[in-house]
Amino acid sequence: MNLLIYKTLEELNQDLADYVIKIAEMSIEENDRFNFVLTGGSSPKALYHLLATEGQHRIDWEKVYFFFGDERNVPANDDNYNGLMAKKTILDPLGIKEDHIFYVDTTLAPEKAAIEYKKAIDKHFNGEDIVFDLILLGMGDDAHTASIFPHTTLVKDKEVNIAAVYVEKLDTYRISFTAPLINKADNVAFLVFGENKAEALKHVIGDTEKNVDLYPSQLIDPIDGKLTWFTDEAATKLLED
């Protein structure tokens, strides 16, 4: 695990953008494509803007395929739909072709949406192991990541899969990568900043004994890949040196 701590969000996002572009360049050079899993919410908006502007001419975006680590069970035109946020901030600005974007079809029931998303990804990987080049993740102040929330079925899910999960505290369903699928990636990067994340981060990184039911982000530990945390001083203030 590599823990990077920044004084400012500007420095964090710039370094993370450079990191994404570096991995993209290597993946395209080696495999002629870059399989990139986006994270949702508001945290990555500045990063996506950087990639769509400063990063516009630094890689061949026609060889990038975009996926979503989780999705909310809302219509595709809903402001809470992760795909819509990405469409506005990075996909449309870069002119990404529709057949290079793998949206979750939330017109389907959650369980069916998860099954169909897995089928689409299986087809993209042509029956080979699903190993993404880079998965971006966020972390909630309750230590959830993707839609692996504390005390939900996804915490104990051992399948390399996409799953629907009911999140009781939100009274809604989500569609999410499972931890075993995330852990197959070549690179996983957490984007975590702000004082409100400090307590969760202290447990996720700092605890000697794991309690994944309470702190699901502890589940993320790539099998053969690299894990990097991009954080700021506020989020890491409770960590011991």
Side-chain angles (χ1 to χ4, degrees), residues 121-141:
I121 291 172
D122 282 336
K123 184 177 180 180
H124 175 73
F125 280 89
N126 199 27
E128 298 180 357
D129 269 359
I130 302 173
V131 179
F132 289 100
D133 298 306
L134 173 60
I135 296 179
L136 286 181
L137 295 174
M139 185 186 73
D141 55 15

Side-chain angles (χ1 to χ4, degrees), residues 97-116:
K97 297 176 182 177
E98 285 294 315
D99 62 357
H100 281 49
I101 308 167
F102 289 73
Y103 293 110
V104 178
D105 184 359
T106 52
T107 64
L108 304 172
E111 293 83 359
K112 181 67 171 173
I115 291 169
E116 292 303 316

